[in-house]
Structure formats: C-alpha cells, structure tokens
Amino acid sequence: MRIGLITPEPGHPLLAATTALLGREHTVEAVDPASAPSDRVADVYLLKSRTPRALALARELELRGAAVLNSASATALCQDRTAMAELADRAGLPFAATRTFAALAPLPDDPDLAYPLVVKSRHSRRHDLVARADDAAGLRALAGAWAREPVVVQEFTANSGWDHKLWVIGDRVFAALRRSELAPGGRGPTRSLSLDALPPGWAELALRVGEVFALDVYGVDLIDAGGGSPLVVDVNAFPGIRGQRGAPEALAELALAAGGGRLIPRARARSAEESCSTP
C-alpha cells in the first residue's frame, strides 16, 4: 500500500513514529504541500497541513478518488471559528457562545460587550490571536497590534485554568491536561490523563464532535464549566498529539483501513449520505 503524508514536516514525532510502523510493509512518501499531484495517486493521504496550497492539493487528490484524512473541506472548516461555532450550535454541542466581528479596532467602544471575555482571530493559524480581556482597556491594548484582525469574541467561563485536551484517531480517544494560555502565567505543561479520570460523558462527547465535523483525526479543547459540565472551546483538524502512548499505532491502523477500503473517511461517507438523500 502507498501512503502519502501531506506535510512540510514529515519528521514530526507523530508522523515519524507512524511512518516507522507503516514502513515495515508499505511505502510511505512525504508530499510537499506546494507540489503538484503526482500522476500516481497513493491509496490514502494524511493531511497534516492547513495552508491554502495543501488544501488545494488535497481537493485535487480527492477528485481523483484518493482517500484523504482529514478531508480538505473538514480541515478548512476548523480554521474558521465562526463556521465552527455555527455548526456546533446547530448540532447541539456545548460550544462556547461566539460572536463575530470584522475587525478588533472598534470593539473597545462596544457597550454591549460583557467582561471578562476571550478574543480570538476568526481564522485559526499559527501565531494567531487568542487572549483574555478583562475590560475595554485590555481590548485597546490588543488593538494596538491587531486592529484590523477579524475576530470572534466568547464570554469567559470561569474554570480551573487547565484545558482538557482530547484527541481522537478513528475511534480511539486520548487525553491530557494543559495549563491554559489564558490562565495567569500563560500556557504551561501538558500532563497525560487517563480516560478514567475524565468526567462522565466527555470521551463520548469528543467522538460526537468527530461525527458532526466529519473528522477522523482531530482534537477537542474542553473546559469544565462547573460540576463536570463540558464546554467545547476549540476543535482542531489533525493536531500534533505528542507523547500519547498508542497514538502512532492508532494512526497507522486508521491509514491502512482507509487505504484498503475497510474504512470510509467521515467526510466521504457524509457526502454519499447527502447524495442519497437528495431527491
């Protein structure tokens, strides 16, 4: 079987470990996201890049019939925090209430904003804006560097200062605690967490997110809103999933299942269902 890795960083720990497992019996090739599609299409591709050129390449490969995990459309949706919040709301997921603004600059003068609040870049990317503002002065300080940035605003929910990071590969759930970047002192260490230590229903919620967003490899950021009630604050397509025992094995199994036709990627399955339901 031929497995393609659409990534500029094939040496990423998760991908490198997965490649070592798959490479014993299969051909694993790194694919430059900026390259043109090869004449020979692999059996399955792992899309570990979110750049416009990587998404365009993934779309072209999908048109040629290749299985891509995750699909270009599902990956792109997770980069738009407005679309993410709207889909989560329609699906009844416990997602942070989200408002969208075309630019950050006017917000300090908005009398309807309730503080403290969390302000994020609308479009998720490396080194984007994610910050807490306790008052209008805090927003003005952020506007100094991000005045024209399209943003989403979420009401800040009091919590322990630790984010629950849940990662899913197929039907396998992995978990960790990470000190939030919004907590005093900023982002801190990540600590592995057994699924038994999660509040009841949280692992099932993570799996539900994958169904809603048509994702096969993804991360869900949750906070405890009180009494074990989960609040989803972010969804990420194909995150790093570093240091999680069993993650490379789960990813290798998923790739082989998709490449061999034993598993239909969620986005492709949803597309087929929608086509069948259309009069």
Side-chain angles (χ1 to χ4, degrees):
M1 185 179 296
R2 294 181 70 239
I3 300 103
L5 308 179
I6 303 176
T7 177
E9 300 177 283
H12 181 285
L14 175 63
L15 295 181
T18 302
T19 297
L21 293 169
L22 292 170
R24 298 168 185 170
E25 299 180 14
H26 306 276
T27 300
V28 183
E29 300 172 340
V31 180
D32 183 348
S35 66
S38 169
D39 290 337
R40 185 182 178 191
V41 176
D43 297 286
V44 62
Y45 291 88
L46 303 182
L47 178 56
K48 186 69 174 73
S49 179
R50 306 170 190 173
T51 65
R53 297 194 70 173
L55 296 178
L57 174 60
R59 290 189 181 97
E60 176 62 27
L61 292 167
E62 289 169 354
L63 289 174
R64 295 189 184 190
V68 181
L69 304 175
N70 301 291
S71 73
S73 59
T75 301
L77 189 149
C78 290
Q79 291 180 266
D80 184 338
R81 290 187 168 108
T82 297
M84 179 191 303
E86 291 173 348
L87 177 56
D89 183 62
R90 291 196 301 270
L93 296 174
F95 198 90
T98 301
R99 296 175 62 191
T100 302
F101 297 89
L104 174 56
L107 294 194
D109 299 321
D110 189 329
D112 295 328
L113 292 180
Y115 298 93
L117 54 79
V118 178
V119 57
K120 303 177 181 179
S121 296
R122 172 175 176 170
H123 300 288
S124 175
R125 61 192 187 276
R126 285 188 178 184
H127 311 302
D128 61 357
L129 172 63
V130 178
R132 171 177 167 171
D134 291 326
D135 49 34
L139 274 182
R140 288 193 181 90
L142 292 174
W146 300 90
R148 298 182 180 180
E149 181 78 359
V151 296
V152 298
V153 171
Q154 300 170 339
E155 182 178 336
F156 178 79
T157 300
N159 62 90
S160 66
W162 289 86
D163 292 337
H164 286 75
K165 309 286 291 187
L166 273 62
W167 299 289
V168 182
I169 302 175
D171 59 0
R172 291 278 306 277
V173 182
F174 304 86
L177 283 173
R178 178 182 293 171
R179 190 67 178 168
S180 172
E181 58 197 319
L182 302 177
R187 176 170 290 176
T190 300
R191 303 174 182 172
S192 290
L193 191 68
S194 69
L195 296 185
D196 292 342
L198 291 173
W202 282 34
E204 291 78 9
L205 173 59
L207 292 171
R208 171 63 179 153
V209 168
E211 296 173 358
V212 169
F213 284 85
L215 295 166
D216 296 281
V217 185
Y218 58 99
V220 184
D221 291 355
L222 293 162
I223 60 173
D224 188 338
S229 297
L231 184 68
V232 179
V233 295
D234 209 357
V235 179
N236 301 288
F238 220 125
I241 319 180
R242 296 174 183 266
Q244 294 298 304
R245 183 176 298 177
E249 289 80 2
L251 185 56
E253 291 174 8
L254 184 70
L256 293 176
R262 293 181 288 111
L263 176 142
I264 301 176
R266 282 195 169 121
R268 182 183 289 182
R270 173 175 293 178
S271 178
E273 291 174 359
E274 291 173 350
S275 296
C276 291
S277 64
T278 301

